[in-house]
Amino acid sequence: MGLSRASVGHGALDGPKAIEKGCIALAGNPNVGKSTLFNAITKAGAEAANYPFCTIEPNVGVVDVPDKRLSVLGEMVKAKKIVPAAMRFVDIAGLVKGASKGEGLGNKFLAHIREVDAVAQVVRCFEDGNITHVEGSIDPLRDIEIINTELCLADMESVEKRQERLVKLLKTGDKKVPIEKAVLDKVLAGLSEALPARRLGLTEDELEFLKELHLLTMKPVLYVANVSEEEVADASANPHVQAVVKYAAGEGAEVITVSAKMESEIAELPDEEAQEFLAMAGLEEAGLDRLIKAGFKLLGLMTYITAGEIEVRAWTIVRGTKAPQAAGKIHTDFERGFIRAEIVSYNDLVECGSKAAARDKGLVRLEGKEYVMQDGDVVLFRLNV
């Protein structure tokens, strides 16, 4: 499965690291499988129990991003070491009705959501009388609505405070103030109907006015449908999953279907046995691998690769990053001394079998400072340092 735990701990999420490695929260109601998934992802042993608020302080785990390309290149160049990209998952306390008013562990939940870059909302899509649900029944859309309502209420408070300040600024004659007020009015109207800001179809210009507010409902989201072991190979017939997929489509969000229980069992197996387990279950890929890759994509991240005898390494960059800034991920001096990037795409390199063969076919190219990096670029930077 390619999962390994670099580190795990408790407490606040420091900003720079969250941005550098990517930080995504596993969120949802109590007892939907968040901590079980987190345990499986990180193999960290975070406590998972059948009662609300088992998770109080957030558990933070750094995981490898599965990438089969690295092992292929490692074999090709006979690398001594392979270093995958990494991202962070955070298991935070379950949220219940009234969280925005401090119910349950609402204040902690909202504070922790503010610190992450994106949210993977876990929703329970299976029946099990032995596992209690805080609302007494299984209804993933209701659970999603509970989360959205509480986040919308928290955002309404932020918007209303900003509106109060705008009233004073209207007297200055600044032409941007009325425009911003109109945007805030539009957002507030949506939030009051429990519509997350990301579902309001806001334009780029409108979004610009909201940046400083850091609205919780603007964070990118994917949905994790937690199903039974029996359904995981083909959960498309599950009416709960169907409902979640339909809802997610309304905001262009992805839905990942997993069985948290099965994933926790697979995570305890050696890689070879894990693959056999997956094959027996009719699965080509572990649900957790799909979740990690979907989370990486949700964060707007991608990787370029450096490959040599010493190591093959995936470097994490934000989509749209230009070559000099990508070089700076290796060392700040590389950005300052950037001259050219010698690039071949992963697919071309593998098809040719070697960089020399790719060069002979004219597939190795030199790119300058304005080149926008592409996922899977295999790079050698030319520098003047």
Side-chain angles (χ1 to χ4, degrees):
M1 292 171 63
L3 304 179
S4 67
R5 175 169 61 86
S7 63
V8 64
H10 301 273
L13 315 176
D14 44 298
K17 287 185 179 178
I19 295 171
E20 177 67 20
K21 293 180 179 176
C23 190
I24 186 165
L26 288 176
N29 300 105
N31 287 29
V32 294
K34 302 185 310 302
S35 294
T36 302
L37 278 175
F38 178 83
N39 291 350
I41 289 172
T42 64
K43 302 180 184 178
E47 184 182 5
N50 185 28
Y51 58 89
F53 311 129
C54 173
T55 305
I56 298 176
E57 291 302 322
N59 296 307
V60 185
V62 179
V63 299
D64 294 343
V65 178
D67 192 341
K68 294 179 180 179
R69 298 175 300 187
L70 302 182
S71 57
V72 173
L73 291 178
E75 287 290 326
M76 181 182 295
V77 302
K78 308 301 180 187
K80 297 177 181 177
K81 183 169 66 171
I82 292 177
V83 184
M87 63 178 290
R88 300 204 293 175
F89 274 90
V90 187
D91 174 28
I92 59 179
L95 180 144
V96 297
K97 288 180 181 178
S100 60
K101 303 299 181 185
E103 291 294 324
L105 295 169
N107 292 332
K108 284 182 176 290
F109 177 96
L110 295 172
H112 297 151
I113 286 288
R114 291 188 192 283
E115 293 186 69
V116 301
D117 302 306
V119 178
Q121 186 171 337
V122 183
V123 289
R124 181 172 160 183
C125 295
F126 68 92
E127 305 280 349
D128 188 334
N130 295 318
I131 303 177
T132 61
H133 190 289
V134 71
E135 292 295 323
S137 63
I138 307 304
D139 185 345
L141 292 189
R142 176 205 58 211
D143 295 349
I144 290 172
E145 184 180 348
I146 289 173
I147 300 290
N148 284 343
T149 297
E150 298 305 325
L151 296 181
C152 284
L153 288 170
D155 279 350
M156 284 176 67
E157 186 176 343
S158 299
V159 172
E160 287 168 349
K161 286 181 179 178
R162 177 59 183 167
Q163 283 183 321
E164 290 173 5
R165 290 196 291 271
L166 282 183
V167 171
K168 299 177 182 178
L169 293 174
L170 281 170
K171 300 175 183 178
T172 65
D174 187 335
K175 294 181 179 179
K176 289 184 179 180
V177 174
I179 300 174
E180 181 179 354
K181 184 180 183 305
V183 173
L184 294 180
D185 288 343
K186 177 180 178 179
V187 172
L188 190 60
L191 293 173
S192 65
E193 296 294 326
L195 283 174
R198 64 179 176 273
R199 293 180 74 100
L200 298 179
L202 300 171
T203 66
E204 290 295 325
D205 290 339
E206 290 173 328
L207 290 172
E208 196 65 31
F209 285 108
L210 300 177
K211 278 187 176 180
E212 292 184 6
L213 293 181
H214 303 290
L215 297 180
L216 301 178
T217 61
M218 277 304 303
K219 291 183 182 293
V221 171
L222 67 83
Y223 297 93
V224 184
N226 186 13
V227 301
S228 66
E229 292 179 271
E230 294 76 21
E231 292 182 302
V232 69
D234 183 14
S236 59
N238 181 317
H240 295 312
V241 174
Q242 291 174 351
V244 174
V245 169
K246 183 177 179 180
Y247 177 86
E251 57 184 272
E254 188 171 357
V255 177
I256 302 296
T257 303
V258 302
S259 167
K261 183 179 180 182
M262 177 183 285
E263 296 296 337
S264 66
E265 294 169 355
I266 294 174
E268 297 300 321
L269 299 174
D271 285 351
E272 188 173 331
E273 291 182 30
Q275 292 303 321
E276 292 176 0
F277 190 106
L278 288 170
M280 291 175 61
L283 300 171
E284 295 183 1
E285 184 179 27
L288 292 182
D289 282 4
R290 289 186 287 111
L291 173 56
I292 293 169
K293 288 189 284 189
F296 197 70
K297 178 182 175 183
L298 184 68
L299 291 165
L301 302 175
M302 64 176 224
T303 57
Y304 71 85
I305 304 168
T306 54
E309 291 184 6
I310 296 177
E311 68 174 22
V312 169
R313 181 186 289 260
W315 298 91
T316 302
I317 54 175
V318 175
R319 290 186 179 276
T321 298
K322 292 184 178 180
Q325 288 69 49
K329 289 291 180 179
I330 300 176
H331 195 286
T332 52
D333 286 347
F334 283 23
E335 181 175 352
R336 289 196 297 269
F338 177 88
I339 300 175
R340 290 280 189 276
E342 186 178 284
I343 294 176
V344 58
S345 76
Y346 167 81
N347 289 336
D348 286 342
L349 180 56
V350 171
E351 186 176 330
C352 292
S354 70
K355 192 170 182 179
R359 194 188 305 277
D360 289 342
K361 292 186 177 181
L363 297 174
V364 178
R365 60 191 191 278
L366 292 178
E367 300 288 358
K369 293 182 178 181
E370 295 304 310
Y371 176 72
V372 177
M373 301 293 291
Q374 301 299 307
D375 185 64
D377 279 347
V378 183
V379 187
L380 175 65
F381 290 110
R382 296 187 177 183
L383 312 164
N384 178 21
V385 178

